[in-house]
């Protein structure tokens, strides 16, 4: 399958890995939108949160994203976890991912 994030999982495309276990992989975003910008993805291809039917996997991804925010030192200052979905949501890679953003004040509402 021609999916950038699947290629990161297999190692065909390199990434700056932060964390990995049997279910997921976390790495730094190559076009950071904040001083800390990481992504958590399932190793298995899931196109978006709309196709994610495994509650256990969704909970695990969220828990790993939270732990990475903590390990990146964002607990005190705060951070944002984002799942862009579909066209209006601004999803550009069709492989489910949670953005972990922090290290600066993030505007709300988003643009
Ligand atoms: P989204 O727009 O929510 O689909 O987010 C996709 C994110 O993936 C963007 O923030 C991109 O900068 C990021 N991205 C795309 N290709 C790579 C890559 N090879 N390694 C790390 N991050 C990537």
């Amino acid at each position: 399958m021609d999916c950038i994030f699947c290629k990161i999982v297999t190692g065909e495309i390199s990434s700056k890995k932060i964390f990995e276990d049997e279910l997921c992989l976390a790495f730094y975003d190559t076009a950071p939108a904040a001083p800390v910008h990481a992504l958590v993805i399932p190793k298995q291809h899931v196109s978006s949160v709309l196709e994610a039917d495994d509650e256990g996997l969704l909970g695990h991804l969220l828990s790993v994203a939270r732990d990475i925010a903590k390990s990146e030192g964002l607990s005190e200052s705060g951070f944002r976890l984002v799942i862009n979905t579909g066209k209006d949501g601004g999803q550009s890679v069709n492989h489910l991912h949670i953005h972990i953003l922090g290290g600066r004040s993030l505007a709300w509402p988003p643009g």
Side-chain angles (χ1 to χ4, degrees):
M1 182 183 293
D2 196 27
C3 168
I4 296 173
F5 288 177
C6 284
K7 287 179 180 168
I8 287 178
V9 171
T10 60
E12 206 178 320
I13 292 177
S14 64
S15 68
K16 282 180 72 181
K17 193 195 301 182
I18 303 169
F19 175 81
E20 178 174 17
D21 65 14
E22 67 280 6
L23 294 175
C24 72
L25 180 65
F27 51 91
Y28 291 107
D29 198 295
T30 46
V36 176
H37 189 175
L39 302 169
V40 183
I41 68 169
K43 286 188 167 176
Q44 173 200 340
H45 184 83
V46 178
S47 301
S48 82
V49 73
L50 289 170
E51 285 76 33
D53 51 13
D54 182 340
E55 286 182 19
L57 176 63
L58 282 171
H60 185 66
L61 295 172
L62 190 56
S63 163
V64 167
R66 184 268 323 274
D67 288 348
I68 287 169
K70 285 164 75 173
S71 66
E72 291 288 328
L74 301 175
S75 299
E76 204 174 311
S77 53
F79 56 90
R80 190 172 292 166
L81 304 181
V82 174
I83 303 176
N84 293 327
T85 306
K87 183 169 64 69
D88 282 359
Q91 184 176 6
S92 62
V93 177
N94 292 325
H95 183 129
L96 173 62
H97 48 284
I98 303 179
H99 294 259
I100 301 148
L101 294 152
R104 67 171 172 84
S105 181
L106 299 163
W108 190 264

